[in-house]
Amino acid sequence: MPSSLPSFVRYLYPPVFLLGTLLAWFAVSEWWQWISPTRFPTPTQTAEAFQRILIQGYGNGRLHQHIVQSVLLVSLSFTISAALGIALGIFMGASRKIEALVNPVFLTLRPIPPLAWIPLAIVWLGLENSAKVMVIFVAAFVPSVINTFTGIRSLEVPQREAARMLGIRGRAYYFEVLIPAAMPMIFTGMRLSLQASWTTLVASELVGAVLGLGSILNQAAQDINPPMILVGMIFVALSGWLMTYGLGLLERLAIPWRPV
Amino acid sequence: MIAAQTSKPWLQTLRLSLTGIVLFLGCWYLAVFLEVTPRRFLPAPHEVLFRFVQLIQEPFVGFTLGQHLLSSFRRFLNGFLLAIAIGIPLGLLMALSRGVQLLVTPIFESIRFVAPIAWVPFAALWFGTGIGGPTLVIFMGAFPPVLINTYRGAIYVDRKYIEAAKMLGAGPIRLMTQVLFPASLPSIVAGLRISAGLGWQSLVGAELIVASSGVGYMMVKGQASIQTQIVMAGMIAIGLVGLLIDILLRRMERRFNRYQEVH
């Protein structure tokens, strides 16, 4: 939002826009019927679908069960994967030997998009949660490693030497020099990781799952139920946004010195 | 000792790199020979390689690997070019006009949070599973970086140039094509690289779910019949093409950055 606008316009604009979009949606789909409801649902249908999944449930569960399943699975696998990725990134950044040892394998596996691991995960682990954990692990691992590595390496030689000269060694060197310096990059990596994890989870739930937001989409697509597809998409977006927002809060706690 | 270390650091790197690869393959082979899982779930590396070569020569589910790749690549190109064709002009227009910017930003910001893959059901419903459906999914993946980078590049163009062009009588179209576009080119090309990566990744996802040809489809069929070599060969093919696209665009990026430095 451009800052040159008067402040009341800046605050009023989003709700006004939302209302306008809603009105336009009613107009083209319900009043004038320019768009066929078999292609894109009307607001009334969407509200009904929302009510149905909220109260009766749809595709093996109610809305909150789907959300909890997906969000919990992503958060847990993401946390494990990012923690390991950050650790590897720190070691690779701190030691050229470890970098040389790990890099070739890492560079070979890196161009394979996380989504391409889904069929392999299904062959190995089936449609269980464990297959999703594996796919999310792959998705979240790579960006964490790369960004942490870059962050550690971005610490300049004078700073390193100053730290050495002041006698900072061992654990303290890692925890008080290297890691704080790499913190902004680490969080950049985590944000990318989280995004990739979320996309990958939704995709693997679309391919096959009992519960989860992706499985709503899959079920709705099979039933040719456009309103339910839309409800699923809205909640995929909302949950993704919520998790990104949560990570942003965490970042502000972890890096209080960073200007926002 | 110091002399030995500084004289051949690359040799040490090479030795360690080779050790890394050997270790990786060694663990893989060990897992295969110890039969951690049945052989058909975990084929040996050379078996995957053989299958890869075999797939190039013999068709699997109707097409050879080359043909699958071609149909994947065509879908990718469709979605990617569509993202460029809409993203660049729209980004420039947003930088030029407050009205367009106010109209597009909220729509864009809310759609951006929908994972591209979540468009799959609508894509199939609206455009079918042939070319159109996957194209929409790729477009949804590839579009945001193009738009964002074009817009960011264009708003940071020095106001002097815009004022000068306006004073010399340039209309909005010439302003966009002859001032804003060339000046924001480095940023646009950087965006294209991200966008191609995301587009390629979305393509794979789209093909896993809705498609009747392509590498993703081939992998799904391999998975359904538990032919792990095919799944892994598909992963290699996808990785290689993705890498190739990235290298091409990186080269382009470097050229445009040099262009900017000279002028």
Side-chain angles (χ1 to χ4, degrees):
Chain A
M1 200 65 49
S3 51
S4 55
L5 287 170
S7 65
F8 72 95
V9 175
R10 253 187 296 156
Y11 287 115
L12 273 180
Y13 185 67
V16 168
F17 188 89
L18 202 70
L19 221 69
T21 320
L22 217 66
L23 227 68
W25 184 16
F26 263 111
V28 296
S29 68
E30 236 152 90
W31 300 334
W32 304 325
Q33 299 193 330
W34 287 353
I35 301 173
S36 146
T38 53
R39 298 243 150 188
F40 196 80
T42 66
T44 318
Q45 286 177 325
T46 311
E48 280 164 9
F50 176 64
Q51 201 182 7
R52 179 174 162 204
I53 195 171
L54 196 68
I55 295 162
Q56 294 165 329
Y58 180 80
N60 302 318
R62 288 168 62 185
L63 183 60
H64 66 273
Q65 291 170 311
H66 290 293
I67 295 178
V68 166
Q69 158 78 13
S70 294
V71 170
L72 217 61
L73 199 59
V74 157
S75 318
L76 288 178
S77 333
F78 163 77
T79 309
I80 298 168
S81 172
L84 290 174
I86 291 169
L88 181 63
I90 291 171
F91 288 131
M92 277 172 74
S95 150
R96 304 230 169 229
K97 281 182 191 163
I98 297 179
E99 185 202 349
L101 192 71
V102 179
N103 225 8
V105 176
F106 193 70
L107 287 180
T108 328
L109 294 178
R110 200 179 117 177
I112 301 173
L115 295 182
W117 289 84
I118 293 175
L120 190 64
I122 292 176
V123 168
W124 282 354
L125 303 164
L127 300 176
E128 306 298 313
N129 279 348
S130 50
K132 270 107 198 150
V133 173
M134 171 183 157
V135 177
I136 298 171
F137 184 89
V138 176
F141 192 67
V142 174
S144 298
V145 175
I146 296 172
N147 284 282
T148 307
F149 173 77
T150 316
I152 298 273
R153 281 290 156 85
S154 69
L155 188 66
E156 279 159 27
V157 177
Q159 288 166 301
R160 280 171 204 273
E161 283 176 354
R164 291 255 178 242
M165 193 199 72
L166 292 168
I168 304 172
R169 293 180 188 284
R171 281 248 295 274
Y173 180 62
Y174 277 91
F175 283 103
E176 276 159 41
V177 180
L178 281 184
I179 295 175
M183 219 33 140
M185 278 305 278
I186 291 178
F187 268 95
T188 305
M190 274 165 69
R191 208 170 314 126
L192 293 172
S193 288
L194 188 62
Q195 252 162 25
S197 307
W198 186 238
T199 307
T200 319
L201 175 74
V202 173
S204 66
E205 284 178 348
L206 256 164
V207 172
V210 182
L211 261 183
L213 288 168
S215 77
I216 300 178
L217 289 173
N218 187 24
Q219 189 63 46
Q222 275 170 18
D223 298 348
I224 314 189
N225 185 348
M228 201 54 91
I229 298 178
L230 189 64
V231 169
M233 282 174 73
I234 291 172
F235 280 94
V236 167
L238 275 180
S239 312
W241 174 79
L242 208 71
M243 281 187 291
T244 316
Y245 183 75
L247 193 65
L249 286 184
L250 204 70
E251 179 172 3
R252 225 170 299 158
L253 280 178
I255 322 177
W257 65 88
R258 188 184 200 181
V260 179
Chain B
M1 189 180 137
I2 291 165
Q5 256 180 1
T6 47
S7 66
K8 287 172 190 164
W10 63 269
L11 196 71
Q12 197 197 14
T13 306
L14 187 74
R15 211 182 297 138
L16 281 168
S17 298
L18 283 176
T19 317
I21 293 172
V22 168
L23 258 168
F24 175 71
L25 289 177
C27 288
W28 187 345
Y29 269 114
L30 199 70
V32 171
F33 286 124
L34 291 179
E35 302 236 356
V36 178
T37 60
R39 192 66 167 255
R40 60 189 193 135
F41 290 115
L42 186 69
H46 66 266
E47 290 172 330
V48 176
L49 219 64
F50 284 154
R51 193 65 226 234
F52 186 82
V53 176
Q54 203 188 355
L55 279 171
I56 295 175
Q57 292 154 349
E58 290 165 24
F60 175 72
V61 287
F63 304 101
T64 62
L65 182 59
Q67 288 164 326
H68 279 302
L69 272 175
L70 203 67
S71 84
S72 291
F73 193 72
R74 205 173 290 153
R75 287 194 187 110
F76 165 75
L77 222 55
N78 275 341
F80 186 51
L81 292 181
L82 199 64
I84 294 175
I86 297 179
I88 294 180
L90 194 61
L92 296 177
L93 214 61
M94 279 168 68
L96 208 60
S97 141
R98 167 67 46 83
V100 176
Q101 197 253 340
L102 279 178
L103 196 66
V104 173
T105 309
I107 301 176
F108 177 71
E109 286 296 323
S110 43
I111 287 183
R112 200 157 63 103
F113 272 102
V114 181
I117 216 69
W119 285 94
V120 163
F122 270 138
L125 188 66
W126 294 339
F127 301 111
T129 56
I131 301 283
T135 300
L136 176 68
V137 179
I138 298 159
F139 172 79
M140 285 302 171
F143 182 63
V146 179
L147 185 73
I148 293 174
N149 273 43
T150 308
Y151 175 66
R152 292 238 171 100
I155 52 170
Y156 288 121
V157 170
D158 202 331
R159 297 301 302 179
K160 274 186 299 195
Y161 298 131
I162 299 170
E163 306 279 313
K166 270 188 184 160
M167 198 197 68
L168 291 169
I173 291 178
R174 285 190 71 185
L175 208 57
M176 271 165 55
T177 53
Q178 295 181 0
V179 181
L180 287 182
F181 178 68
S184 44
L185 211 49
S187 167
I188 293 176
V189 176
L192 290 190
R193 220 184 114 201
I194 305 172
S195 141
L198 288 173
W200 185 244
Q201 141 132 336
S202 311
L203 165 98
V204 176
E207 284 188 344
L208 291 182
I209 303 159
V210 286
S212 39
S213 64
V215 199
Y217 176 72
M218 183 189 91
M219 287 168 71
V220 171
K221 288 295 161 190
Q223 166 223 309
S225 56
I226 315 190
Q227 290 181 275
T228 315
Q229 301 103 303
I230 290 181
V231 175
M232 288 182 166
M235 288 168 74
I236 296 174
I238 287 168
L240 281 179
V241 176
L243 196 65
L244 221 65
I245 296 172
D246 193 56
I247 289 173
L248 257 160
L249 283 170
R250 198 181 306 176
R251 191 163 282 182
M252 210 164 112
E253 194 179 348
R254 216 172 293 150
R255 173 170 302 169
F256 283 118
N257 281 340
R258 207 181 304 143
Y259 173 83
Q260 197 191 27
E261 276 161 27
V262 173
H263 288 254

